[in-house]
Amino acid sequence: MRTDTPTVIGLDDYRPSDHLADTIHLDILLHPTATRIVAETAFRPNPAGRPGAPLVLDGDELRLCGIELDGQPLPAEAFEASPQGLTVLAPPQRPFRLRVVTEVDPTANTKLMGLYRSGGIYCTQCEADGFRRITYALDRPDVLSVYTTRIEADESEAPTLLGNGNPGEAGAIPGTGRHFAIWHDPFPKPGYLFAVVGGRLGKVSKPFTTMSGRPVEIAVHVEPGKEPRAEYALDALERSMRWDEEVFAREYDLDVFNVVAVSDFNMGAMENKGLNIFNDKYVLASPETATDSDYANIEAVIAHEYFHNWTGNRITCRDWFQLCLKEGLTVFRDQEFSSDQRSRAVHRIGEVRTLRARQFTEDAGPLAHPVRPNQFREINNFYTATVYEKGAEIVRMLKTLLGEADFAAGMTRFFETCDGTAATVEDFLDAFAAVSGRDLSDFARWYVQSGTPVVTVRTEYDPAQARYRIDLTQETPPTPGQAEKGPLVLPVALGLVSPTGAAIAADCADLRPDGVHVMAGSRASLIFENVRERPVPSLFRGFSAPVKLRLDLGDDDLLALLEHDSDPFNRWQAAQMVAMRLLVGQATSESGTPVEASLLRLALALGRVLVVESERDPAFAALLLSLPSETEIAQEIGSDVDPDAVHRAWLAARGTIGTVLAADLAAIRAATEPDGAYSPDAASAGRRALRNVALDLLASADPAFGEREADRQLAAAGNMTDRLAALAVLSRIPGDTRERALARFAEDFAGEPLVLDKWFGIQAAIPEPGTLDRIHGLTSHPAFSFTNPNRVRALVGSLALANPTQFHRADGAGYAFLADIVLMLNGSNPQVAARLLTAFSTWRTVEPGRRANAESQLKRIAREQNLSPDVSDIVARSLSEA
Ligand code: PHE
Ligand code: ZN
């Protein structure tokens, strides 16, 4: 066991910094292995801090090369320095300037935090606490400084030099082969938003004029030669900027906006002020190399990072407990943007699928935490589905509760009152309370209570009185450290649907005119009058609250919703519920329950709906045909899960649906033959999605046909979407065709790491016992590297998250493999290691044999010496009993 217990940081321990740093002048002398950083900071005592306190600066693996205070070298007895910090023992009680020189080795920086090199490009990552890996600093989000950055480098190595803010003086340093550029950012910001980039980069750019008429140059920088693949990102950026003006009246505030794509990046992207740095998978796209979902992701991530300019940068977080203030809100904003650019219903279904697969799973296991956690040992482990996705759901509920007008007014007030500050969740809610006159203190429980509420519904129809009654109860199961739960404020958007399709007016005193009932306590009863026929209730329309719903409806009622509900989300949801019920039944019974009849009815109902929907909204039709994932089924079962049984049930159901709908699916494929050039727009993508779901189902019903058809599609495909869909289908049909197709794909895309990631991912997801050996083999493939997070996620992450039967192998080999990788990456890249390790978080829900295997691997990790705080925190929480 490790000896140094990491310190627990608590929300209640917050106190203001003893010092402020008004300005920081940085001189960064880039060198591959010895980069010098000269930081001159104007400090002053914080009136809100403790008078006479020492100046305590954070550091992380730093080497101090010099220190001066107000121009005088600081004597050795006046300070204490280590790689992890620098303390000036008795700093002046007035403003003073501290000049600190540090040296770092960007080439040796495999953690990808602080200053590092990716494919020869110098770049930085400072959130959450990477700035302290560049220089000693008050590295906390509530200390805001105005930065001026001078960057110097060999002109041949780094012709492009970028910093935060606006460009200033730049030029060659004669006779040295070096050059410099000065950047000044007038907006005070915390160190986590600092960035520099230096390298040989190609760019695409265009002028943008803001709503008030200010000219801005927007640019995307990529590896030279890849410029055409940056056009879509640039276009998405322009649309994002326009959208934020139109919807939130937010205008961009600098003269330039730069996006840089790098190949080695721990996360998706980073919103550094005026200089966003991206994982290149969220920038680069061409029809030949990117799928429709890649295009959609690029659009969403570009928007997300851009929107942070207001929600995150102009208004930042007081401390890391407030992370959801910027992340949940910004996810909400990017979801709204994408919904406006695409089909809102289709996008909403996608959001909910992610939420259920990732956040509900997290909330049901040992890593469950509130959207605003109240303690952490390692902040890097809190960039979670809960903070991001559930955080976004809270904002969405707030909007539903308050209505459009008050929500918009509250946002405006938040922007105006908190601009330039480091704010809290309370500040955010106060803005909405102020404009609406509402007391939001009950609603605020959403931020502090973890766990997914379960809402149980009972209905009763009294034909004699023409009265219909819906009883709702809510309950949230206990989560680690939180045994007691209170009721949450739930906006329940609902309506009544006639089983035959006619509309039923909802005559109910407790329903707002917009069809929302606000449930504030643990139970609610809604009485509807003048109901002339037995209705079917359509509840939580549009997924109006992130809850699990237990409905007392039979399949016929659910299928009536599928066919007749006016709410597209609930139409999809109804089909999912019918499917889920029978999948769970199949996966948990010894002999296989008689689900065939029910499956047949579902398939026939889908067939009827498809007639209209495959024309009207192909993307929606594709979603209707997609069964709940194995992860969702396992979660629904909840305990003693046998992943093999889940997989068998899932396969069988798909086979039946494919068989019953064979003629319709074939017709769909014929009607959606690609015509003409590829376009990534939502309508074209929807047709491809439908066409490819059809292929998948047909192949499930008839693998021999599927193999031929997929092979044919692979040969004919003019874009990566169709190609990859075909390869995925083939990957699940063992045989020569598959192996030839895989080999051919690798040859065709040999020089394309992002495409090979898809290839790694497809193979790692094959649900066959041979997969683990295949993965072992692929770790020595020339294109694979353990130092690149995208490669690791593609190969190892796909096993852990997209291949339940092989990760959860009964013999424990999948667990052992993941544990080996986690231990190997623990030292070189703890963030990536910790994230992979979270795949174990469902370990208590699997059957006893697997559970024991998983536990022994977790314990093996826990016993290891020198665990990083990241890995140590996840393993400790995963094993903890509470
Ligand atoms: N702030 C980034 C985002 O969500 C995520 C991130 C966190 C990136 C930490 C890097 C490191 O937009
Ligand atoms: Zn973000």
Side-chain angles (χ1 to χ4, degrees):
M1 255 309 193
R2 44 182 293 120
T3 45
D4 53 326
T5 327
T7 30
V8 176
I9 302 173
L11 168 60
D12 297 336
D13 303 336
Y14 175 82
R15 54 180 180 77
S17 173
D18 292 324
H19 291 89
L20 299 174
D22 293 326
T23 62
I24 302 184
H25 281 257
L26 288 161
D27 194 3
I28 300 185
L29 311 169
L30 291 174
H31 180 280
T33 56
T35 291
R36 285 214 147 210
I37 300 105
V38 183
E40 191 162 331
T41 306
F43 286 108
R44 68 183 156 96
N46 184 358
R50 296 169 305 175
L55 174 69
V56 182
L57 303 181
D58 304 295
D60 185 13
E61 300 184 320
L62 285 178
R63 198 161 84 80
L64 179 66
C65 302
I67 178 165
E68 282 176 15
L69 200 151
D70 285 336
Q72 299 300 314
L74 201 60
E77 62 279 10
F79 69 95
E80 286 167 6
S82 80
Q84 304 306 115
L86 170 66
T87 301
V88 178
L89 298 168
Q93 304 284 303
R94 48 157 176 84
F96 61 96
R97 299 182 81 79
L98 191 73
R99 184 176 184 275
V100 169
V101 184
T102 51
E103 194 179 285
V104 301
D105 179 350
T107 303
N109 184 354
T110 58
K111 295 184 178 171
L112 314 185
M113 286 292 279
L115 176 69
Y116 65 96
R117 292 217 302 165
S118 172
I121 298 169
Y122 294 93
C123 62
T124 54
Q125 172 53 44
C126 291
E127 186 176 7
D129 28 46
F131 189 59
R132 65 186 66 177
R133 292 170 60 79
I134 297 173
T135 188
Y136 294 102
L138 295 172
D139 192 8
R140 42 186 291 168
D142 62 345
V143 172
L144 314 187
S145 315
V146 170
Y147 285 73
T148 306
T149 309
R150 179 182 180 278
I151 316 160
E152 189 190 302
D154 278 355
E155 195 150 15
S156 59
E157 189 188 34
T160 299
L161 298 174
L162 303 172
N164 305 104
N166 293 320
E169 199 191 333
I173 307 170
T176 62
R178 288 176 75 80
H179 73 144
F180 74 97
I182 296 174
W183 289 78
H184 177 74
D185 181 1
F187 293 93
K189 66 169 176 291
Y192 85 85
L193 291 172
F194 171 81
V196 293
V197 167
R200 185 169 292 283
L201 291 159
K203 87 166 179 182
V204 294
S205 64
K206 60 167 86 160
F208 180 90
T209 307
T210 69
M211 60 202 273
S212 73
R214 274 193 336 97
V216 177
E217 192 205 39
I218 63 175
V220 180
H221 305 255
V222 296
E223 186 186 311
K226 299 250 164 86
E227 293 88 347
R229 297 190 194 177
E231 291 291 351
Y232 184 77
L234 185 66
D235 173 66
L237 175 59
E238 184 182 21
R239 286 184 281 124
S240 307
M241 294 174 80
R242 202 54 80 201
W243 186 90
D244 214 15
E245 295 184 343
E246 284 164 3
V247 177
F248 286 102
R250 294 304 104 195
E251 191 173 358
Y252 187 60
D253 50 12
L254 292 166
D255 303 339
V256 297
F257 187 84
N258 285 307
V259 169
V260 180
V262 299
S263 304
D264 303 82
F265 202 78
N266 282 347
M267 309 277 277
M270 180 63 211
E271 69 265 24
N272 319 299
K273 183 78 185 190
L275 177 54
N276 290 359
I277 298 180
F278 272 61
N279 184 328
D280 59 3
K281 86 181 258 196
Y282 294 118
V283 172
L284 299 173
S286 70
E288 295 73 35
T289 58
T291 62
D292 291 330
S293 29
D294 290 329
Y295 278 94
N297 289 337
I298 290 168
E299 181 180 79
V301 180
I302 286 274
H304 180 95
E305 306 310 331
Y306 174 72
F307 296 157
H308 268 314
N309 191 56
W310 273 93
T311 49
N313 302 2
R314 289 287 288 259
I315 304 174
T316 193
C317 301
R318 187 193 72 170
D319 54 68
W320 291 118
F321 296 101
Q322 321 296 328
L323 186 57
C324 66
L325 176 67
K326 74 177 177 83
E327 294 305 346
L329 178 54
T330 304
V331 170
F332 169 77
R333 278 153 52 69
D334 84 58
Q335 289 176 344
E336 285 299 292
F337 168 74
S338 292
S339 301
D340 283 350
Q341 306 284 309
R342 292 159 182 269
S343 152
R344 184 163 278 271
V346 167
H347 201 265
R348 185 65 185 142
I349 293 168
E351 292 158 15
V352 174
R353 286 175 104 190
T354 323
L355 185 83
R356 285 192 179 135
R358 298 184 47 231
Q359 200 279 324
F360 281 20
T361 306
E362 185 166 79
D363 234 354
L367 304 180
H369 55 273
V371 169
R372 181 169 68 184
N374 43 31
Q375 57 173 50
F376 64 76
R377 279 175 289 182
E378 175 51 65
I379 185 57
N380 291 327
N381 289 337
F382 282 86
Y383 289 79
T384 60
T386 297
V387 169
Y388 277 66
E389 263 75 38
K390 188 175 178 182
E393 292 299 318
I394 299 180
V395 178
R396 186 174 299 283
M397 284 189 286
L398 188 62
K399 182 176 180 187
T400 308
L401 276 180
L402 299 180
E404 300 263 351
D406 277 357
F407 180 76
M411 284 298 297
T412 304
R413 187 176 170 98
F414 173 62
F415 286 129
E416 283 167 2
T417 56
C418 296
D419 187 13
T421 71
T424 62
V425 166
E426 282 75 12
D427 295 328
F428 178 67
L429 289 179
D430 282 351
F432 294 92
V435 297
S436 67
R438 303 264 279 257
D439 178 357
L440 294 172
S441 47
D442 285 347
F443 180 74
R445 179 171 279 154
W446 274 108
Y447 284 99
V448 299
Q449 182 167 292
S450 53
T452 308
V454 178
V455 174
T456 307
V457 182
R458 297 262 169 277
T459 57
E460 197 181 295
Y461 180 54
D462 178 351
Q465 303 288 324
R467 183 172 292 153
Y468 185 63
R469 175 186 172 121
I470 304 179
D471 292 311
L472 302 159
T473 56
Q474 61 161 309
E475 199 173 358
T476 303
T479 53
Q482 255 188 18
E484 300 300 322
K485 304 288 183 181
L488 294 155
V489 176
L490 305 177
V492 192
L494 67 101
L496 302 184
V497 177
S498 148
T500 55
I504 300 184
D507 174 0
C508 171
D510 295 312
L511 212 55
R512 299 192 321 206
D514 62 353
V516 173
H517 169 75
V518 179
M519 178 173 176
S522 32
R523 17 187 99 250
S525 294
L526 298 174
I527 312 282
F528 296 79
E529 305 290 354
N530 302 310
V531 183
R532 306 274 158 223
E533 64 175 323
R534 193 186 65 84
V536 185
S538 171
L539 292 155
F540 292 95
R541 281 180 161 167
F543 202 65
S544 61
V547 301
K548 289 185 185 167
L549 195 52
R550 300 274 169 262
L551 271 179
D552 68 342
L553 297 186
D555 285 358
D556 289 340
D557 281 348
L558 288 170
L559 294 177
L561 288 179
L562 164 64
E563 294 198 47
H564 305 303
D565 198 349
S566 59
D567 181 58
F569 177 85
N570 270 6
R571 296 183 65 195
W572 171 81
Q573 176 58 42
Q576 294 284 302
M577 281 186 163
V578 174
M580 182 63 95
R581 222 174 257 177
L582 59 92
L583 285 162
V584 169
Q586 182 89 324
T588 52
S589 75
E590 292 294 301
S591 52
T593 39
V595 297
E596 281 303 312
S598 155
L599 188 51
L600 210 61
R601 263 187 319 204
L602 172 62
L604 292 172
L606 286 172
R608 283 195 297 277
V609 170
L610 274 183
V611 175
V612 176
E613 297 303 332
S614 54
E615 291 282 327
R616 192 190 63 86
D617 188 347
F620 180 64
L623 289 169
L624 287 175
L625 286 171
S626 308
L627 292 181
S629 68
E630 290 167 70
T631 306
E632 284 175 81
I633 302 165
Q635 189 194 108
E636 183 74 15
I637 297 172
S639 59
D640 288 329
V641 175
D642 174 356
D644 291 326
V646 170
H647 185 67
R648 282 194 301 271
W650 186 77
L651 275 186
R654 285 155 47 96
T656 304
I657 292 178
T659 306
V660 175
L661 296 182
D664 312 65
L665 296 171
I668 283 173
R669 285 198 48 87
T672 50
E673 277 290 341
D675 53 350
Y678 173 91
S679 154
D681 69 89
S684 320
R687 279 192 298 278
R688 281 185 290 271
L690 181 58
R691 178 175 163 73
N692 287 321
V693 172
L695 172 61
D696 199 14
L697 287 171
L698 286 167
S700 303
D702 181 352
F705 168 80
E707 185 177 55
R708 283 195 308 279
E709 186 71 2
D711 204 32
R712 203 177 61 82
Q713 177 166 322
L714 198 57
N719 61 72
M720 182 50 71
T721 304
D722 290 337
R723 198 186 284 255
L724 201 69
L727 191 65
V729 167
L730 274 184
S731 77
R732 279 176 260 112
I733 306 170
D736 285 349
T737 310
R738 165 172 90 186
E739 301 310 325
R740 256 187 287 115
L742 285 168
R744 176 71 200 272
F745 190 94
E747 277 167 37
D748 288 350
F749 296 98
E752 301 282 0
L754 292 175
V755 180
L756 290 177
D757 282 347
K758 304 175 192 305
W759 180 78
F760 286 128
I762 278 189
Q763 294 179 85
I766 296 176
E768 289 168 21
T771 292
L772 211 49
D773 285 341
R774 194 188 280 269
I775 295 176
H776 266 297
L778 286 170
T779 58
S780 1
H781 189 277
F784 185 78
S785 158
F786 276 112
T787 64
N788 180 288
N790 286 353
R791 297 308 89 78
V792 174
R793 282 185 288 250
L795 193 60
V796 186
S798 297
L799 171 75
L801 299 170
N803 194 346
T805 62
Q806 301 313 301
F807 174 55
H808 297 281
R809 272 168 64 137
D811 64 2
Y815 301 144
F817 176 74
L818 191 68
D820 288 344
I821 306 280
V822 167
L823 288 173
M824 182 176 78
L825 294 176
N826 168 63
S828 56
N829 193 331
Q831 280 187 30
V832 168
R835 198 152 278 253
L836 288 175
L837 183 57
T838 62
F840 275 103
S841 70
T842 54
W843 73 274
R844 278 203 177 86
T845 65
V846 289
E847 52 78 28
R850 288 174 169 84
R851 203 184 308 156
N853 285 334
E855 183 171 18
S856 77
Q857 292 303 327
L858 283 168
K859 290 191 165 155
R860 172 162 80 97
I861 296 173
R863 277 195 305 272
E864 199 69 24
Q865 300 293 311
N866 302 319
L867 280 187
S868 60
D870 310 63
V871 169
S872 149
D873 170 45
I874 298 287
V875 80
R877 282 193 282 144
S878 299
L879 282 168
S880 87
E881 303 286 340

